[in-house]
Amino acid sequence: MEETIRGTEAAQIPQQRGTSLLETAVRYAEERHWDVFPGTWLVPADGGQRCSCEDPACAAPGAHPARGDWAAQATGSATVARRMWQKQPTASVLLPTGRTFDAIDVPETAGFLALARMRRMELALGPVTLTPDRRMRFFVLPGAAVKVPDLVRRLGWSPHVLDLGVLGEGAYVAAPPTRLGTWGAVQWACRPTAANRWLPDVEELISPLTYACGRDR
């Protein structure tokens, strides 16, 4: 039997609080022990907004690293994070992957289908982001990048066929409430809470994610 998601389920995304980027970055470092680093930001231009990198064709305006050494810049210190955002309060909040978490990247439609299945299966979920370019990132324990190709093959799929990627060492995710140009802000589909402080291993989530991406082809 085919599985569908009701419109109300897909629409129930937690709204973001009006907390400053600075305080949000500090909270991620202090409460979640996530490394954070400031990225680019949006600046007024011709009645609209452009990325501070000044590239008119920027693919992720206001939501990508501002420096080539961003990996070394990332910090888990709330004090250092506060100091960095005080220099540029509107800088995006970026989180390096491959340290305290990896992120499984799937299309929004597949992500909501997977979330529905996971909740019915009563699986333990970590935080999940929803981006304005209609992608969802499921936070899992580090090491997923190595495991996923073999896990997908065991489920009968070629990793190259599915729109399912892994952000691990050397990559990053934009964290809420970072804005992506005029498209909107990154949101939490599953907000960080005390209950999901301990992240799942990718092996626990890969089956519903693979199923959903297979359905979404």
Side-chain angles (χ1 to χ4, degrees):
M1 180 181 294
E2 289 197 349
E3 210 167 343
T4 58
I5 289 190
R6 298 187 300 274
T8 53
E9 272 188 288
Q12 288 174 352
I13 301 169
Q15 294 300 307
Q16 308 306 312
R17 297 176 183 175
T19 310
S20 71
L21 290 160
L22 184 155
E23 292 302 330
T24 301
V26 169
R27 190 170 68 247
Y28 290 152
E30 193 168 56
E31 298 179 6
R32 301 299 294 198
H33 304 294
W34 289 340
D35 283 4
V36 298
F37 68 97
T40 54
W41 56 93
L42 296 172
V43 296
D46 301 323
Q49 293 180 313
R50 63 169 174 78
C51 185
S52 61
C53 74
E54 299 186 356
D55 179 0
C58 180
H64 64 86
R67 296 166 38 164
D69 64 344
W70 61 265
Q73 183 190 23
T75 180
S77 165
T79 301
V80 175
R82 182 177 297 277
R83 190 181 306 134
M84 289 194 293
W85 265 272
Q86 282 174 339
K87 294 178 181 177
Q88 182 47 254
T90 58
S92 53
V93 180
L94 306 181
L95 313 174
T97 52
R99 300 188 183 187
T100 52
F101 65 87
D102 282 359
I104 309 302
D105 176 79
V106 299
E108 174 189 306
T109 49
F112 277 120
L113 176 58
L115 275 178
R117 286 177 66 85
M118 290 172 187
R119 285 167 177 157
R120 280 193 289 274
M121 295 166 69
E122 298 185 346
L123 296 179
L125 285 170
V128 182
T129 64
L130 173 64
T131 66
D133 55 350
R134 305 180 72 85
R135 306 293 298 184
M136 291 178 76
R137 276 79 184 259
F138 290 72
F139 288 22
V140 296
L141 290 173
V146 176
K147 297 178 180 180
V148 162
D150 186 53
L151 291 172
V152 169
R153 291 188 192 96
R154 290 184 196 175
L155 292 167
W157 290 92
S158 166
H160 305 293
V161 170
L162 300 180
D163 187 2
L164 184 156
V166 186
L167 299 170
E169 187 175 358
Y172 63 90
V173 297
T178 295
R179 295 193 66 81
L180 186 64
T182 58
W183 303 316
V186 181
Q187 301 183 65
W188 289 115
C190 290
R191 189 184 295 277
T193 66
N196 63 21
R197 181 174 296 279
W198 302 107
L199 299 177
D201 191 285
V202 68
E203 294 181 15
E204 301 171 49
L205 306 186
I206 195 63
S207 179
L209 284 168
T210 300
Y211 169 83
C213 288
R215 281 280 310 277
D216 197 51
R217 292 172 66 227

